[in-house]
Amino acid sequence: LPLAQKTKRVLFLSNLLQEPFVALNLMLDVMLSAHFGASALQISILTTLRPLLAVCAFYWGSLLLYRPELLRFSLIAATALATVFFLFAPWADSIWYFIMAESCFVLFWRAANPAQMEVLKLNLDKGVREKVFSQALSVSHASGMIIGPLLGIFLKINPGIWKELFCLGALFYGASAWSKSYFYIPKTTLPPTRTISGFKDALLTPWRDSWKLLKGNRLFAQFQLGFFIAGSGLMFAKPSIPGFLTSMNLSFLEIFSLFTLLEGLGFILTASFWAKYLQKVGIHKTACLIVTCFSLQPLLLLTPASTVACVFLAYFFYGAAQSGSRLVWHLSGPLLCGNESSSQYTSVNILAIGVRGCFVPLLGAAFAQGFGPEACIAV
């Protein structure tokens, strides 16, 4: 098979294997609240840890600058380790175990991104890369639109089976590491190795290199600033969403439909538009339109005559915005890195998530505690 076709098949297969767990994981906060009585503090801790652990993932990705021969190992190992703790979910009876398991998943899920995007940059030409990646995202979301409601039906019939479903989803996700082992990595195009000595140097050098990158690449710095502000807004409101949806007395089936069916529909229907729009106007104008689309979600959630229909429509637009957001976030490195390795650019994307995750979710949780979830979402 041609290299581009083989890369596309491996990417599609790995995304499909991961989707059952990803669809189930979207409901973890709600499940912990329903089955363990998770407090707002525990949910806010989990919400804070998700982006905060991106800093650790940043170091994993930065390792590729100094040991580029570990590109394949970085991708496969991070994918395999992501869902290890969820394999033991049926025997876990503590909310803190699931917080630990989710932390491990988020850490290695993000850690795999720099290596995967570098592989796509090496194997796919510009233009083809945007199209293939957009199609892969659409395929995974299309499967999520089927899997999500089915999971909701299973949980409606037997709510106690959710732990077993997490275990099964974790097995499929781990199998995607096997599929990614079939990615072809051309060794001759790997970036030159950088040297590093001592723990202090290993701790600080990735930060210095990232700052140097931002100062030297104005277009990438502008992209980072805009995404940092917009992402902070989403992160600020996120701790209030589970409580807001719970207050509307939505069933598991309805919430699964929100997170998979409606969001997935918005994602798929706009995926080709975002890919074409990105090629036509560039990454910065595309990012501006994405942020505008994101702002429609809180407006619809907080309409005076808020109904289930409004909530469903809000998540449709959120899915549309996510479609564009994931496309430009993942491809910003390959698009703006020039002849450099894209892994460092993707690592900086991950680092930015970790930096704002240090304080924004806690601010959002505190604001929601004092003024209510509606006020937090409005801000």
Side-chain angles (χ1 to χ4, degrees):
L1 285 176
L3 179 58
Q5 188 68 19
K6 182 178 180 180
T7 302
K8 179 179 177 180
R9 289 191 177 186
V10 174
L11 182 63
F12 278 34
L13 177 59
S14 63
N15 281 10
L16 287 172
L17 288 171
Q18 292 176 359
E19 190 58 33
F21 181 85
V22 172
L24 193 61
N25 188 255
L26 291 172
M27 283 289 296
L28 181 62
D29 292 7
V30 178
M31 289 179 180
L32 293 181
S33 297
H35 293 278
F36 284 113
S39 66
L41 176 61
Q42 289 170 321
I43 294 297
S44 65
I45 289 173
L46 182 56
T47 305
T48 302
L49 283 174
R50 281 174 175 140
L52 187 59
L53 287 166
V55 176
C56 299
F58 161 72
Y59 281 104
W60 182 287
S62 296
L63 181 65
L64 296 176
L65 293 172
Y66 317 106
R67 298 288 301 278
E69 69 276 10
L70 295 178
L71 183 61
R72 183 184 297 277
F73 169 82
S74 175
L75 177 60
I76 297 173
T79 305
L81 291 171
T83 57
V84 166
F85 286 106
F86 279 103
L87 294 173
F88 306 97
W91 301 277
D93 291 315
S94 169
I95 186 175
W96 296 109
Y97 180 87
F98 284 96
I99 290 177
M100 177 189 66
E102 178 68 1
S103 299
C104 179
F105 168 68
V106 172
L107 169 62
F108 289 107
W109 168 59
R110 294 198 184 280
N113 280 329
Q116 178 157 303
M117 296 316 300
E118 179 64 9
V119 169
L120 297 184
K121 174 179 177 284
L122 295 174
N123 291 351
L124 300 174
D125 295 329
K126 185 178 179 181
V128 176
R129 191 186 310 133
E130 289 86 338
K131 182 179 179 181
V132 167
F133 192 76
S134 177
Q135 289 174 344
L137 291 178
S138 297
V139 168
S140 62
H141 273 71
S143 62
M145 290 173 64
I146 300 173
I147 294 170
L150 288 177
L151 291 172
I153 293 172
F154 289 149
L155 289 173
K156 187 174 183 179
I157 297 172
N158 186 0
I161 203 175
W162 68 280
K163 293 180 183 180
E164 286 72 16
L165 289 176
F166 263 107
C167 178
L168 184 60
L171 285 171
F172 279 106
Y173 194 101
S176 70
W178 164 80
S179 68
K180 290 182 179 182
S181 67
Y182 286 90
F183 272 128
Y184 172 71
I185 300 177
K187 295 182 179 180
T188 56
T189 60
L190 290 174
T193 304
R194 301 185 188 182
T195 58
I196 194 168
S197 59
F199 176 77
K200 183 178 179 180
D201 194 25
L203 189 66
L204 298 178
T205 298
W207 290 79
R208 296 194 191 105
D209 287 345
S210 298
W211 180 248
K212 183 179 179 181
L213 184 152
L214 290 171
K215 290 199 299 183
N217 192 322
R218 183 176 58 86
L219 292 177
F220 187 65
Q222 290 174 345
F223 171 81
Q224 280 299 325
L225 179 61
F227 245 63
F228 190 91
I229 295 172
S232 295
L234 293 173
M235 210 173 269
F236 186 84
K238 194 166 186 180
S240 301
I241 297 296
F244 180 83
L245 295 178
T246 301
S247 67
M248 297 190 69
N249 298 317
L250 298 176
S251 68
F252 275 130
L253 179 58
E254 289 173 323
I255 295 176
F256 261 113
S257 297
L258 283 178
F259 290 163
T260 55
L261 188 61
L262 269 296
E263 188 177 323
L265 189 62
F267 195 106
I268 293 171
L269 292 180
T270 59
S272 61
F273 164 77
W274 290 121
K276 293 176 182 177
Y277 194 74
L278 176 61
Q279 294 180 46
K280 182 178 179 180
V281 304
I283 192 169
H284 293 88
K285 290 184 178 179
T286 304
C288 289
L289 185 58
I290 290 167
V291 172
T292 302
C293 195
F294 267 127
S295 67
L296 294 175
Q297 187 206 21
L299 290 176
L300 286 166
L301 288 178
L302 299 175
T303 52
S306 183
T307 62
V308 173
C310 288
V311 175
F312 275 41
L313 188 59
Y315 273 86
F316 174 84
F317 281 109
Y318 183 82
Q322 279 283 15
S323 179
S325 176
R326 290 186 63 180
L327 183 68
V328 300
W329 189 88
H330 283 90
L331 291 179
S332 59
L335 287 173
L336 298 174
C337 70
N339 294 324
E340 300 179 75
S341 168
S342 69
S343 62
Q344 186 182 12
Y345 286 74
T346 306
S347 294
V348 172
N349 282 341
I350 294 172
L351 177 62
I353 293 174
V355 169
R356 63 178 180 259
C358 291
F359 61 95
V360 175
L362 290 177
L363 289 177
F367 192 89
Q369 189 72 25
F371 300 96
E374 292 82 2
C376 186
I377 294 171
V379 171

